[in-house]
């Protein structure tokens, strides 16, 4: 007679003396030992975990964005679409994280805020790399990372690399659209500015979806990502306002004022403007 206490799972492995375990595969000992509070306050654990989890999701976003850029430039559009859809799904997870952090009250945060020193989310290098990958290039932020020469070199390479919008514009040109020549051989460190030829190309794509189906899908994937990023930025701003009001950020930024200002930046301006024109 079977032992009902096993629930019919007699073949489940229990001897791991010479096998890799789940914890070993995920390096859980290292991962779960990384939440080191600098105060005795209960809620600092929440603060640390939210930011660490967000950094893990950003690592995945970068992994997918960088691969998508390469796929677009190689003409592997279906693979790129799958990667960009995963980016959008991942962004939803990061947006929802603000709801959890918002359970931290102003009084609770002030109990351990001083322990952060000048450390701030403003210094997240993965977030900067996401901005770079989407085309928002700001050279002055590189100075933050000079303390670590290896990291600084890594960021500088990302700063000089083409963004996903550069790759998209290249595809418009490949499809036969007359794109302004300087855009196809430009300095990728320069902040992208709206161009009439790009707007005309996207307008044509959206007016003849059947003919330019791949480009149309690419445009919509990019809009999805920018839409979600702006939602993330807005939730970030409101969460900061909810917890510290209009105090300066620990990293020296103006806090809510800075976060409101970056909401005005558009990554893919033509893709938004054509909605008025078509």
């Amino acid at each position: 007679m079977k032992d009902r206490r096993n629930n019919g799972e007699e073949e489940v492995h229990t001897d791991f003396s010479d096998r890799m375990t789940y914890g070993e595969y995920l390096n859980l000992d290292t991962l779960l030992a990384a939440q080191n509070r600098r105060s005795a306050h209960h809620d600092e654990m929440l603060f640390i975990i939210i930011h660490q989890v967000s950094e893990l999701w950003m690592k995945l976003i970068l992994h997918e964005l960088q691969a998508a850029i390469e796929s677009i430039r190689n003409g592997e559009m279906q693979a790129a679409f799958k990667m960009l859809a995963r980016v959008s799904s991942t962004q939803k997870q990061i947006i929802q994280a603000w709801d959890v952090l918002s359970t931290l009250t102003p009084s609770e945060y002030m109990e351990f805020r001083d322990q952060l020193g000048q450390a701030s989310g403003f210094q997240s290098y993965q977030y900067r790399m996401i901005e770079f990958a989407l085309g928002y290039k700001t050279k002055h932020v590189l100075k933050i990372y000079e303390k670590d020469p290896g990291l600084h070199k890594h960021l500088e390479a990302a700063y000089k690399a083409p963004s996903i919008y550069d790759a998209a514009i290249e595809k418009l040109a490949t499809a036969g659209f007359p794109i302004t020549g300087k855009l196809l051989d430009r300095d990728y460190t320069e902040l992208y500015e709206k161009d009439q030829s790009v707007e005309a190309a996207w307008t044509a794509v959206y007016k003849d979806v059947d003919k330019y189906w791949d480009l149309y899908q690419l445009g919509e994937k990019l809009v999805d990502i920018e839409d979600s990023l702006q939602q993330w930025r807005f939730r970030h701003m409101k969460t900061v306002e909810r917890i510290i009001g209009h105090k300066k950020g620990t990293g020296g930024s103006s806090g809510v004022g800075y976060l409101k200002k970056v909401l005005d930046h558009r990554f893919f301006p033509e893709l938004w403007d054509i909605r008025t024109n078509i």
Side-chain angles (χ1 to χ4, degrees):
M1 181 180 293
K2 290 184 178 180
D3 185 347
R4 294 183 182 277
R5 291 174 298 179
N6 292 334
N7 296 314
E9 299 294 340
E10 292 84 359
E11 296 183 7
V12 169
H13 295 295
T14 57
D15 181 4
F16 287 92
S17 56
D18 60 352
R19 295 187 178 98
M20 179 176 63
T21 66
Y22 170 81
E24 288 169 337
Y25 175 69
L26 294 177
N27 290 315
L28 285 183
D29 285 350
T30 301
L31 185 65
L32 298 179
Q35 293 74 47
N36 301 309
R37 289 182 293 167
R38 293 178 178 268
S39 75
H41 197 273
H42 173 84
D43 295 300
E44 189 180 359
M45 183 64 75
L46 163 68
F47 190 82
I48 292 171
I49 288 176
I50 286 292
H51 287 85
Q52 287 183 341
V53 169
S54 294
E55 289 291 337
L56 285 173
W57 282 129
M58 282 192 273
K59 183 172 184 177
L60 179 58
I61 288 173
L62 277 170
H63 178 71
E64 300 297 339
L65 277 178
Q66 290 163 350
I69 291 171
E70 184 176 350
S71 293
I72 293 168
R73 300 189 88 190
N74 290 336
E76 299 165 354
M77 301 302 287
Q78 294 305 313
F81 296 156
K82 175 64 181 293
M83 296 163 188
L84 295 177
R86 184 172 291 164
V87 169
S88 294
S89 294
T90 306
Q91 288 176 299
K92 292 181 176 65
Q93 299 298 317
I94 296 185
I95 292 168
Q96 290 175 352
W98 293 120
D99 292 337
V100 183
L101 188 59
S102 291
T103 65
L104 182 69
T105 68
S107 298
E108 290 164 346
Y109 181 50
M110 292 309 295
E111 289 290 329
F112 63 85
R113 188 180 191 235
D114 287 347
Q115 300 300 318
L116 275 66
Q118 279 71 56
S120 165
F122 185 85
Q123 298 147 16
S124 169
Y125 69 85
Q126 289 199 121
Y127 178 71
R128 295 304 174 190
M129 289 184 68
I130 290 172
E131 287 187 328
F132 292 171
L134 296 178
Y136 186 44
K137 305 293 183 75
T138 48
K139 187 174 183 178
H140 70 276
V141 301
L142 292 175
K143 188 171 180 60
I144 296 171
Y145 311 101
E146 289 179 348
K147 179 180 180 179
D148 184 337
L151 175 59
H152 185 269
K153 183 177 180 181
H154 187 52
L155 277 154
E156 196 167 38
Y159 173 69
K160 294 177 180 178
S163 72
I164 197 163
Y165 203 46
D166 290 312
I169 291 170
E170 289 175 5
K171 292 306 294 183
L172 290 172
T174 301
F177 291 107
I179 301 298
T180 303
K182 65 180 182 179
L183 291 181
L184 303 175
D185 187 28
R186 75 186 195 91
D187 180 354
Y188 297 126
T189 66
E190 294 181 359
L191 189 62
Y192 178 79
E193 295 184 3
K194 178 181 171 180
D195 182 87
Q196 186 58 45
S197 69
V198 174
E199 183 171 343
W202 283 124
T203 299
V205 167
Y206 275 72
K207 284 185 174 180
D208 196 344
V209 171
D210 291 338
K211 182 177 180 180
Y212 300 112
W213 179 245
D214 278 356
L215 289 169
Y216 172 71
Q217 286 191 86
L218 177 58
E220 286 299 283
K221 295 294 185 191
L222 294 179
V223 167
D224 286 343
I225 289 171
E226 179 166 351
D227 190 349
S228 292
L229 184 65
Q230 294 292 51
Q231 290 182 50
W232 183 90
R233 283 174 158 180
F234 179 78
R235 290 293 293 119
H236 184 188
M237 182 269 293
K238 294 306 293 183
T239 302
V240 170
E241 186 174 23
R242 176 173 178 159
I243 296 174
I244 68 167
H246 289 264
K247 295 185 181 75
K248 275 194 171 186
T250 49
S253 75
S254 59
V256 169
Y258 169 78
L259 295 173
K260 283 184 176 179
K261 183 173 64 176
V262 297
L263 281 170
D264 292 333
H265 176 261
R266 299 190 302 171
F267 291 87
F268 318 126
E270 296 89 353
L271 282 169
W272 294 98
D273 289 345
I274 62 169
R275 283 154 164 76
T276 303
N277 301 332
I278 58 176

